[in-house]
Amino acid sequence: MTDASSEHLAPVSYLPWATPPEPVAHDEAEEPRRPLTSADEPVTHTVPLARARDHDGRSGFGARSGVGASRRRGGMAVVDDEESAETGAERDARIDRLVISRLRRSALSIAEVRSVLAEHGLDESEVEEWIERYERLGYLDDARLAEQLVYVSGSRRGRGSGAIMQELSRRGVDASAARAAVDELDPEVERANALAVAERRARQLTGLDRQTAERRLSAFLQRRGYPGDIVREAVTAALSADGS
């Protein structure tokens, strides 16, 4: 049977030039971690709000700095060290391209362009600067737009003066410009348009008694925006020609 003392490991012998390590006490408490202070936080620069707005420069329209260039913190604006994704000049160019593209596709009212500009973050004073510029360049003219809509809605779409006025109002055309354009609509032209619309519609009412046909045709023309006297004339003429 092997002697128990032989199971112990042999003692370690160090070379003459080696220094044995200091023993480590396992029951010592770990040194507590130092709490983070303001000195450890990432550095950001705070500047007054008025200066923060000019951080990325201003455009010819007086636009503020680009999107994301600054953010509010209390009474100050905090400007990130990272450069803004879009400068004021770049924002202006993007919005200008958007508006011009829409104007090339179809005429817009001043109110419609104002809404587009406001949706893209321009404040009231900036919006007015842009509107004045577009008017000066001839891109915006509510009086001209009203004349175009009166012609297209009346002659091509068969709408009466009432419906045309509602359309101009819906699109935000200046009220005085809209009224002036509608007043220029020739009553004889409107009467002829109403008769043409009534005759086409009357062909779909064949087989109905006269009273029912008159009621339905009158309601149809009224929805088209024609005045009452023109409606009566057009209904009588269309149903007589149709033999109802």
Side-chain angles (χ1 to χ4, degrees):
M1 190 169 178
T2 306
D3 188 3
S5 62
S6 65
E7 295 180 1
H8 295 290
L9 295 175
V12 178
S13 299
Y14 293 93
L15 295 175
W17 58 83
T19 303
E22 293 291 335
V24 178
H26 295 286
D27 57 348
E28 282 186 14
E30 291 186 5
E31 180 182 356
R33 294 185 179 181
R34 181 175 58 85
L36 291 176
T37 65
S38 58
D40 300 308
E41 294 180 354
V43 177
T44 57
H45 305 295
T46 59
V47 297
L49 182 58
R51 291 182 55 196
R53 290 176 174 170
D54 293 329
H55 180 64
D56 287 327
R58 304 174 72 87
S59 75
F61 297 118
R64 294 172 185 160
S65 58
V67 178
S70 63
R71 61 181 185 273
R72 296 290 296 273
R73 179 182 291 178
M76 307 289 289
V78 179
V79 180
D80 296 329
D81 290 330
E82 203 176 303
E83 289 186 3
S84 170
E86 183 180 49
T87 65
E90 291 171 341
R91 182 202 63 170
D92 286 349
R94 172 177 57 80
I95 297 175
D96 191 50
R97 287 194 301 270
L98 172 65
V99 173
I100 296 301
S101 175
R102 292 189 181 184
L103 286 169
R104 285 175 177 170
R105 290 197 300 268
S106 63
L108 299 175
S109 69
I110 292 175
E112 288 171 329
V113 173
R114 181 177 284 114
S115 177
V116 171
L117 296 174
E119 287 175 359
H120 285 268
L122 299 183
D123 62 28
E124 186 174 348
S125 62
E126 290 175 324
V127 168
E128 292 310 314
E129 289 179 14
W130 284 61
I131 293 296
E132 290 175 7
R133 172 176 176 269
Y134 286 135
E135 286 182 304
R136 186 172 65 254
L137 295 175
Y139 288 117
L140 294 179
D141 188 336
D142 272 9
R144 184 178 63 212
L145 175 61
E147 292 174 359
Q148 293 174 354
L149 290 177
V150 167
Y151 171 75
V152 172
S153 296
S155 301
R156 296 184 181 179
R157 299 178 182 174
R159 293 179 180 176
S161 56
I164 296 174
M165 194 67 189
Q166 290 179 356
E167 173 69 7
L168 293 172
S169 177
R170 184 186 66 80
R171 296 192 57 177
V173 175
D174 178 74
S176 59
R179 174 52 61 188
V182 171
D183 288 344
E184 289 295 319
L185 182 61
D186 188 343
E188 292 305 317
V189 172
E190 187 173 19
R191 185 173 284 104
N193 291 340
L195 178 58
V197 172
E199 288 176 344
R200 289 196 298 269
R201 185 67 174 180
R203 289 194 287 269
Q204 302 176 24
L205 302 177
T206 55
L208 299 176
D209 61 85
R210 176 71 181 227
Q211 184 177 7
T212 302
E214 284 183 354
R215 184 177 67 254
R216 293 188 179 182
L217 188 53
S218 296
F220 177 77
L221 292 176
Q222 287 170 357
R223 289 195 298 271
R224 287 277 185 167
Y226 290 103
D229 57 332
I230 292 182
V231 168
R232 288 189 293 272
E233 293 178 18
V235 168
T236 299
L239 292 180
S240 298
D242 192 58
S244 299

